[in-house]
Amino acid sequence: MTAAELPQSLLATLPGHHYTDPSIFALEQSRIFEAGWFCAVRSADLDQPGAFQTVQVGRESVLIARDRKGGLNAFLNVCRHRGARLCTEESGQVQRSLQCPYHAWTYGLDGKLIAAPNLAGMPDVDRGQFGLNRVHLREWLGYAWVCLAGEPPSFENTVISDVAQRLGDAGELDAYDIAALELGERIRYDVKANWKQIIENFMECYHCATIHPELTEVLPEFADGFAAQYYVGHGAEFGDEVRGFTVDGGEGLQQLPGVGEHQDRRYYAITVRPQVFINLVPDHVIVHRMFPLTAERTIVDCDWLYLPEVIASGQDLSRSVELFHRVNQQDFDACERCQLAMDSRSYAAGGVLVPSEHHIAEFHDWVRARLAG
């Protein structure tokens, strides 16, 4: 059945091969992940000069390091001499420089070439010209976002616009002061599914009554199948007997001081394309960062963020963390179950979206537009 033949209640999805075809994934890497802003690392993870992390962005390894002046810099993780991978560790700490282990070309934390064997005998070599290739970097919400494009798109018209479209006003995010929060827990998930499966799942709640018993106890309206993201500005309301966003609905932690009365006892979910989810509740914020590695494998880092005084006090965060950890496990299991069928002849033309999922079609249009260049 073609899209034109579907009843009005149903919309067509992307065809199955869009979730498995390596050539389509390669296009996504170049035209989505390497072309726009990508949330790479939490700034506070690089808390000392010389601290660095390496992150896979599309087909490139990106090196992010804190310099001696306290700023963050991002570079392609490639030595300018013969192309050796400069840093092979996911994270680490150096004193004053980054040195290639192959021929000892050495770079400052600002990316400049500062030394190499026999360099003094090559006076025509401009050290500035042979520094590491820089990547655009911007800090927002306490995270470092990078862009590999020569001319990056407007941060305001892409990243912040996604927040504005979801909340009605990006300024609503200010109440949570996310950059001032501290990491309480981080869990890494290795998901055997295409990155689009994960986004589509996060955007809808048609599945919530089926696989999220704990979540629908806390947010009863989700049992009706409409996700908060279906409505601009809407936050799902806690149940009458629910006291906090915890696995048992019991008391939460100290409320974020900026949260307004209209935001209290509500959950807001935001998709920032192409790889970030922001979850807002009155006492903490949960941030997902996706790192698509292949057409059928995605790493997801999930951060639970709380007030500094909550972290310093040593309060038990387990009931708070456990709720969304279970939600993550349930969601990722569902995504993996779908991924198994993407190459089936039954799904060659794709599936369908019911009315509560129709907003996912806008995401599909967004993907198609970028793949078309």
Side-chain angles (χ1 to χ4, degrees), residues 347-364:
Y347 207 78
V352 294
L353 301 170
V354 302
S356 65
E357 303 170 303
H358 279 189
H359 57 298
I360 294 175
E362 296 178 10
F363 169 63
H364 291 167

Side-chain angles (χ1 to χ4, degrees), residues 124-332:
D124 57 332
V125 174
D126 183 338
R127 298 188 186 205
Q129 184 181 357
F130 286 91
L132 297 176
N133 285 311
R134 186 172 288 275
V135 171
H136 300 283
L137 182 148
R138 173 163 175 172
E139 292 186 74
W140 188 60
L141 303 183
Y143 288 83
W145 304 64
V146 298
C147 182
L148 274 59
E151 292 293 333
S154 164
F155 197 87
E156 287 69 22
N157 293 340
T158 53
V159 173
I160 295 177
S161 176
D162 276 357
V163 175
Q165 290 179 37
R166 167 65 187 95
L167 297 181
D169 178 0
E172 289 287 298
L173 207 58
D174 296 342
Y176 298 84
D177 198 10
I178 298 174
L181 303 182
E182 292 187 3
L183 183 68
E185 183 66 82
R186 173 175 293 150
I187 299 177
R188 171 165 289 185
Y189 305 87
D190 192 337
V191 188
K192 297 177 180 64
N194 184 274
W195 66 280
K196 297 187 295 295
Q197 294 273 14
I198 299 171
I199 286 188
E200 292 161 17
N201 172 277
F202 184 72
M203 291 181 72
E204 55 92 356
C205 215
Y206 190 44
H207 68 274
C208 286
T210 309
I211 71 170
H212 292 320
E214 299 89 354
L215 185 63
T216 53
E217 281 292 320
V218 174
L219 305 173
E221 68 181 73
F222 274 6
D224 296 332
F226 282 87
Q229 293 194 70
Y230 188 85
Y231 309 97
V232 174
H234 179 68
E237 191 169 3
F238 292 7
D240 291 341
E241 304 302 318
V242 171
R243 290 179 291 161
F245 198 74
T246 58
V247 69
D248 56 6
E251 198 69 40
L253 298 155
Q254 183 176 337
Q255 182 164 313
L256 307 179
V259 169
E261 185 176 348
H262 67 292
Q263 298 163 320
D264 191 19
R265 294 182 54 78
R266 289 186 179 271
Y267 162 75
Y268 297 86
I270 307 164
T271 301
V272 181
R273 298 167 295 188
Q275 45 85 240
V276 174
F277 306 146
I278 303 172
N279 307 269
L280 309 171
V281 292
D283 64 339
H284 65 283
V285 172
I286 306 164
V287 178
H288 296 72
R289 288 170 289 147
M290 291 194 301
F291 300 89
L293 299 183
T294 73
E296 302 188 73
R297 182 183 175 213
T298 308
I299 298 295
V300 183
D301 280 351
C302 188
D303 293 348
W304 282 259
L305 309 174
Y306 301 86
L307 287 171
E309 51 265 41
V310 169
I311 302 299
S313 69
Q315 294 182 57
D316 181 11
L317 307 177
S318 61
R319 289 167 48 256
S320 174
V321 170
E322 182 63 22
L323 175 57
F324 227 92
H325 174 51
R326 291 192 192 181
V327 170
N328 286 337
Q329 290 177 312
Q330 293 155 354
D331 279 339
F332 299 153

Side-chain angles (χ1 to χ4, degrees), residues 29 34 54-63 75-78 85 135 148:
Q29 287 178 307
E34 297 172 17
T54 57
V55 176
Q56 192 69 26
V57 180
R59 297 161 298 180
E60 295 282 1
S61 174
V62 175
L63 171 63
F75 316 98
L76 297 181
N77 188 17
V78 177
R85 179 65 56 87
V135 171
L148 274 59

